[in-house]
Amino acid sequence: MSKPVIKESSMDLQKEMLARHFEKLAVSEENGDKCAYTFVPGNLAELLHCFDLLPVLPEINALQSAMRNKSADYIAAAEKEGHSEDVCTYVKCDLGMAKNGNIGPTGTRLPKPSVLLLSYTGCFTFMKWFEILKQEYDCPIVMLHVPYQADGKPTAEMRRYIVKQLQEKVIPVLEEVSGKKFDIDRLRQLMASSARSEDNFVKVMESAKQTPSPIDGYFGGVYYISPIFTAFRGTPEAETYYEALLAEVNDRAARKLGPLTPEGPMKEEKYRIVVEGPPNWTHFRELWKMFSDEGAVAVASTYTRVGGVYDFGFRHDPDNPLESLADYCLGCYTNLNLPTRTDMISKYVEEYQADGFLINSVKSCNSFSAGQLLILREVEQRTGVPGGFFESDLVDPRYFSAANIKNRLESYFQMIEQKRNAVSAL
Amino acid sequence: MAETKADMIDLAEEIVRDLELGTVSKWKEKTGGKAVGCMPVWSPRELLHAAGILPVGIVGGGDGIEIIKGDAYFQSYICQIPRSTIEMGLNGNLSPLDGMIFPSICDVIRNLSGMWKMLFPKTPAWYLDMPQSFDEIGVDFFTHELKRLFGEFCRVSGQNPDNDSINRSIAIYNENRSLIEELYQKRRERPWCFPVSEGYLLIRAGYQIDVKEHNKMLRSYIDLAAASDCKAIDNARVVVLGSFCEQPPLNLIRTIEKSGCYVVEDDFTLGARLIKGEISTTGDAIENLARAFIEQSREAAFIYRESEKGGELVEKVKKCNAEGVVCCAPSFCDPALLDQPMMVAAIEKASIPYTSFKYAENTGQFQVIREQAGTFADSIKLWS
Ligand code: SF4
Ligand code: SF4
């Protein structure tokens, strides 16, 4: 039997929030509550709350299924129905889950969508995913197309295009589905709440600039992003969570303690690493252990920016609600071009005083993966710190080769050690 | 210009196989103009033409290039076309190009646009964000996007054409689209005289030559093929689906043909055919082009429409009197492979038989595909 996971109190808080959310979803049909399926990057949580629509995020369901060892069967079910082995496993895991009773992470059934809100940001697969879901469910679908930041910055035209779609397409559909009128003042209040959570969230993530880092910004980071990237942004619960989390992190920092890992408090911080790419969910704990056993702490990661890049200054702005939603969608990590992503990682390496950076290249995700090898080269050249690379998948256990990844990581950390010794010998 | 049909096909094949873009260099020498590469699927070639630029369709290196450096840039689970395109960029094949356009069809091409900026900083790399809002909001956005790009093209060519010039370019491309449709129509009527392997080469040659030349070439080919004496065989009539970006090797197309299929519709050269019918040549030319994209583009895996998925495919099968569909997509191609189950559902519902296989542009073995396509054709014939 595996060892029990050691938890921080904020994790319990988060668990309760999630349990309540999934409980609400489980009884939503009886209670007459409506729900919207939508994606994490560019999610319009505040807007959905404005209409009292409960968000359901298929990526989160897929990753949760993987953490509960269900994804292999779900993927197999989707492949049996003709979905290619080559495509994103989140999609197949979600479809397989739907075919197997649509049981959510807490073991209760998820409701059918009242609306599919296709926030089309940073990944082309999203479009195909919801086209497929549209065939499964008899409900309205509305697309919000977010242009790509190909030249590294959003333009007035892009913003205008998004705002018009919000005004003329998304909001009217949400009004119709929910039976509620759009109230911009309510949206402003929700966005003000988002901004308060975002402030605290950034402080948590930036605490990793200290040595030792009190947090792990990748494995631990996925817990920290969960409320703000999903159903809770804009809610008092999220505010409470981030206040509690920040207090906890500050306390650890004051005591010069490292992050808490599932195996217990991290002992010695030997390597500070920046990580690019999503985590593997089927062997999440095992992969984290491979890092922590070596004394490696992820001080920053790009995955924790997929649902919004807040540390470069963006906040939801109650004074310009729709424009701010547009900026939020435009700025999600995978909607940034490769030069911007390279700049960001290089900046993280420098600002977080990293000893190296690692890429977890996941087979499923071309949005992340195409071009990563060039990023690797560029960041190495610019920062002078060694880059490393390993491959896995998000939710398909067939692509997690533990021995191979462990070997790679061990040799990578040895290389950092050798480099360090060579420098100190000078 | 070649005199006979056979010469014409040879010439087209020579152009298509010339990865060093000899015809492009010659055109530049002759005209003093610039050339811009257009990745799949669609680019506003009319605007390039009006700006005095030769649009050059770049669809990877096919089976004609050895990948030496390109593999170092992409993981094994990414399709082939970006690695051969990078290879061609690094080995100098693409040096006649003064810019590259990367349309928004998938994450790979999208990210390749950023890689291009990093690897070839002296060559402009433009990302073309095609709208997914198929209404006036999309027209407005796309008009601005195309105007922005047109400004960039004019900066590269040093020319400043007016609205009438753009309308004239649109008219020339209208003729091109109409000739290509005529070619498809003839193929549907007498596929034995207009084999796909020939028509494909003819259209592909147009990716590398001036559009007026291409129009002449198409006209002569259609006339020569129509007059040729060819014998009908009892082949199965099929529609090929899924090959709109990375191209199957020519021998794969020939294999499908030889295995007993008449390919009466396909999406190999979807970019040249994406817009159906004529584009208006009066009024604001750029807005007309944007509007045509919104109102006249075909069903495609990278386009989001609220209409029923596969509706156009089923209609196409009926219109062509096709007896089956061959789903033929590149390995690891997200848009094609994610689309496929929805397309299959639509054709199954309409009781249309289908078969499916994958390829890479550098696939060299066709035996399995020959057998599969052959069995499919036989089964169609047996049950029809
Ligand atoms: S391709 Fe990547 S970003 Fe897109 S749905 Fe899959 S995992 Fe998410
Ligand atoms: S083959 Fe498919 S995945 Fe590859 S670049 Fe083309 S459209 Fe994208």
Side-chain angles (χ1 to χ4, degrees), chain A residues 23-142:
Chain A
E23 185 49 41
K24 259 196 237 166
L25 286 171
V27 294
S28 62
E29 279 160 0
E30 292 146 55
N31 290 351
D33 290 335
K34 304 277 172 61
C35 74
Y37 284 22
T38 195
F39 293 111
V40 170
N43 73 71
L44 303 171
E46 297 84 355
L47 198 62
L48 293 177
H49 292 315
C50 241
F51 295 100
D52 297 319
L53 288 163
L54 297 167
V56 175
L57 299 127
E59 302 112 301
I60 305 295
N61 299 336
L63 73 88
Q64 293 277 3
S65 298
M67 288 175 116
R68 289 176 300 129
N69 292 325
K70 301 246 172 167
S71 54
D73 290 345
Y74 291 163
I75 292 167
E79 288 182 357
K80 215 169 140 209
E81 294 230 326
H83 293 274
S84 166
E85 73 259 33
D86 290 356
V87 302
C88 175
T89 50
Y90 266 179
V91 182
K92 289 182 285 185
C93 184
D94 182 44
L95 295 175
M97 187 181 100
K99 297 270 170 217
N100 282 278
N102 223 17
I103 304 298
T106 50
T108 50
R109 187 182 296 275
L110 289 171
K112 287 185 179 161
S114 318
V115 61
L116 294 165
L117 171 56
L118 171 45
S119 53
Y120 187 44
T121 310
C123 166
F124 284 85
T125 296
F126 289 154
M127 177 175 108
K128 310 309 298 175
W129 191 343
F130 268 25
E131 276 181 345
I132 298 170
L133 285 191
K134 192 183 157 203
Q135 301 201 320
E136 302 289 324
Y137 299 112
D138 181 24
C139 74
I141 177 166
V142 61

Side-chain angles (χ1 to χ4, degrees), chain B residues 100-174:
Chain B
M100 282 283 272
I101 300 177
F102 299 85
S104 56
I105 61 160
C106 73
D107 294 319
V108 174
I109 298 272
R110 184 196 73 175
N111 288 6
L112 188 61
S113 73
M115 294 175 76
W116 217 262
K117 284 184 203 289
M118 289 160 77
L119 286 167
F120 310 104
K122 290 194 187 119
T123 314
W126 301 293
Y127 184 71
L128 170 67
D129 224 329
M130 301 187 288
Q132 297 288 357
S133 193
F134 283 84
D135 47 25
E136 286 306 309
I137 304 173
V139 172
D140 184 46
F141 170 75
F142 206 33
T143 304
H144 280 95
E145 177 74 354
L146 292 179
K147 286 194 169 155
R148 174 186 72 84
L149 274 179
F150 186 56
E152 296 278 317
F153 300 159
C154 294
R155 200 177 45 77
V156 165
S157 71
Q159 296 189 23
N160 196 12
D162 59 13
N163 191 57
D164 287 348
S165 311
I166 308 175
N167 273 327
R168 280 195 293 278
S169 295
I170 291 179
I172 298 170
Y173 276 94
N174 276 341

Side-chain angles (χ1 to χ4, degrees), chain B residues 361-379:
Chain B
E361 61 179 10
N362 56 355
T363 301
Q365 297 292 325
F366 304 105
Q367 189 52 31
V368 176
I369 292 176
R370 181 195 293 266
E371 278 165 21
Q372 194 179 332
T375 311
F376 182 60
D378 290 347
S379 69

Side-chain angles (χ1 to χ4, degrees), chain A residues 175-300:
Chain A
E175 280 184 329
E176 204 180 311
V177 168
S178 66
K180 298 201 165 116
K181 278 299 289 165
F182 173 53
D183 176 355
I184 198 157
D185 291 324
R186 185 160 176 214
L187 181 63
R188 287 183 208 279
Q189 279 165 15
L190 289 155
M191 288 173 93
S193 163
S194 296
R196 289 191 289 273
S197 293
E198 286 156 2
D199 280 342
N200 286 335
F201 169 70
V202 170
K203 284 181 194 149
V204 168
M205 298 312 275
E206 291 194 334
S207 70
K209 289 183 181 170
Q210 303 169 63
T211 308
S213 167
I215 63 159
D216 185 287
Y218 184 54
F219 299 103
V222 303
Y223 294 99
Y224 308 150
I225 59 177
S226 173
I228 212 164
F229 280 11
T230 62
F232 303 98
R233 209 178 55 235
T235 65
E237 289 162 287
E239 285 193 59
T240 309
Y241 169 79
Y242 284 104
E243 277 162 19
L245 176 65
L246 181 61
E248 208 170 79
V249 168
N250 282 342
D251 175 58
R252 267 208 311 276
R255 293 190 287 139
K256 292 275 171 211
L257 293 178
L260 201 60
T261 77
E263 317 296 320
M266 174 110 178
K267 290 189 187 76
E268 187 196 355
E269 176 185 287
K270 280 168 65 188
Y271 311 106
R272 297 171 63 83
I273 307 294
V274 171
V275 184
E276 146 79 13
N280 164 276
W281 301 109
T282 53
H283 299 74
F284 183 79
R285 227 177 121 176
E286 195 175 341
L287 186 59
W288 191 350
K289 191 169 183 303
M290 288 181 198
F291 276 67
S292 57
D293 281 354
E294 294 286 330
V297 178
V299 284

